[in-house]
C-alpha cells in the first residue's frame, strides 16, 4: 500500500482557486464542447467539469444547485459524481 | 422558376417565426448543418417532415398533405416552460397569418419533446403541423 497524496494533482499551474459556501479549495476545470443531436439538429454545449478532492467537496458541503466560483467565474453545480475509488470528484457545472 | 407551394409554405413558416419578439434571421433556421450554440438560443428550426398523401381531387387538381415541424430549442430550467413561452405566440402567429392561410390549411399535431443535460439543460419542443394544400396536377408551383 502507499499513501495517497492527492494534493500533488491540485498544486500545479493548471489548478484554479475555487470557493463554495465560503470554503476555499483547488480544482482542475475542463471546458470541452460537446455536440448533442436533438430532433436531427446538432446543438453545441460546453460541458464544464471541475475535478477536485472529494474531501474538499464534503468540507464545502457542495450539492447539486450550489453556487461555486472557479477562478473569477461563477457557476452552479449540476451533478456531484465520484470518480474511481471516490477520492476524486467530478462536479459538472452550469455557467 | 417559381418555387413549389411546399417550399412557399416552409418559407412562410420561417418568415412568421422571425416576426416573434426576440427572433430573427440569427435564430430562426431552415435546414442547418452547423450546431446551435447556447449563444443563439432560444432558436426555432422549421424542418420539412415529408409528405404523407397526394390525392387527385378533380381533373388536373391534386391535394397534398405534408408535415412541417416547428422545433423550438431552448436552454435552461425548466426547459419545457421556456419552450411553452415561445410555442404559444408562435402557434398564434402561424394560425393568424393570412399569406400562410392562403397557401394551406394547417392542423397542429401532437407535439414531441426531447431534453439532454448540458451546461444548461438543452430542450427541444417539436410541434408537427399538417399542411393541406391544392396544386395543379402538372404544376406544383400553382394553386388552382
Amino acid at each position: 500500500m502507499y499513501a495517497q497524496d492527492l494534493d500533488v494533482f491540485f498544486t500545479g499551474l493548471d489548478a484554479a482557486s475555487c470557493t463554495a459556501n465560503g470554503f476555499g479549495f483547488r480544482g482542475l476545470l475542463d471546458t470541452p464542447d460537446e455536440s448533442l443531436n436533438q430532433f436531427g439538429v446538432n446543438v453545441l454545449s460546453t460541458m464544464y467539469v471541475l475535478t477536485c478532492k472529494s474531501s474538499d467537496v464534503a468540507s464545502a458541503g457542495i450539492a447539486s444547485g450550489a453556487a461555486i466560483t472557479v477562478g473569477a467565474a461563477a457557476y452552479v453545480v449540476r451533478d456531484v459524481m465520484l470518480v474511481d475509488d471516490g477520492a476524486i470528484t467530478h462536479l459538472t457545472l452550469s455557467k | 422558376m417559381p418555387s413549389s407551394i411546399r417550399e412557399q409554405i416552409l418559407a412562410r413558416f420561417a418568415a412568421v417565426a422571425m416576426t416573434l419578439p426576440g427572433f430573427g434571421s440569427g435564430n430562426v433556421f431552415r435546414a442547418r448543418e452547423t450546431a446551435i450554440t447556447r449563444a443563439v438560443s432560444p432558436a426555432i428550426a422549421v424542418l420539412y417532415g415529408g409528405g404523407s398523401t397526394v390525392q387527385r381531387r378533380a381533373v388536373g387538381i391534386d391535394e397534398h398533405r405534408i408535415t412541417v415541424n416547428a422545433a423550438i430549442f431552448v436552454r435552461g430550467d425548466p426547459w419545457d416552460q421556456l419552450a411553452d413561452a415561445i410555442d404559444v405566440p408562435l402557434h398564434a402567429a402561424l394560425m393568424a397569418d393570412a399569406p400562410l392561410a392562403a397557401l394551406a390549411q394547417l392542423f397542429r399535431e401532437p407535439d414531441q419533446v426531447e431534453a439532454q443535460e448540458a451546461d444548461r439543460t438543452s430542450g427541444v419542443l417539436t410541434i408537427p403541423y399538417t399542411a393541406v394544400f391544392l396544386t395543379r396536377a402538372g404544376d406544383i408551383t400553382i394553386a388552382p
Side-chain angles (χ1 to χ4, degrees), chain A residues 35-48 78-79 92-95, chain B residues 33 35-36 38 47 69 73 75 112 114-122 124 126:
Chain A
S35 184
L36 316 171
N37 190 285
Q38 294 188 294
F39 206 79
V41 177
N42 287 326
V43 175
L44 206 61
S45 175
T46 302
M47 299 301 191
Y48 301 100
R78 292 183 66 88
D79 297 306
T92 60
L93 308 175
S94 292
K95 194 171 188 178
Chain B
E33 295 302 324
I36 295 174
R38 202 173 99 182
L47 305 166
N69 293 306
F73 294 83
R75 300 293 279 273
Q112 301 168 43
E114 186 179 345
Q116 292 187 43
E117 184 166 14
D119 53 340
R120 280 187 190 167
T121 303
S122 178
V124 56
T126 303

Side-chain angles (χ1 to χ4, degrees), chain A residues 17-40:
Chain A
S17 296
C18 310
T19 304
N21 295 323
F23 182 83
F25 58 99
R26 292 179 72 79
L28 297 164
L29 182 66
D30 289 313
T31 61
D33 281 343
E34 193 169 303
S35 184
L36 316 171
N37 190 285
Q38 294 188 294
F39 206 79

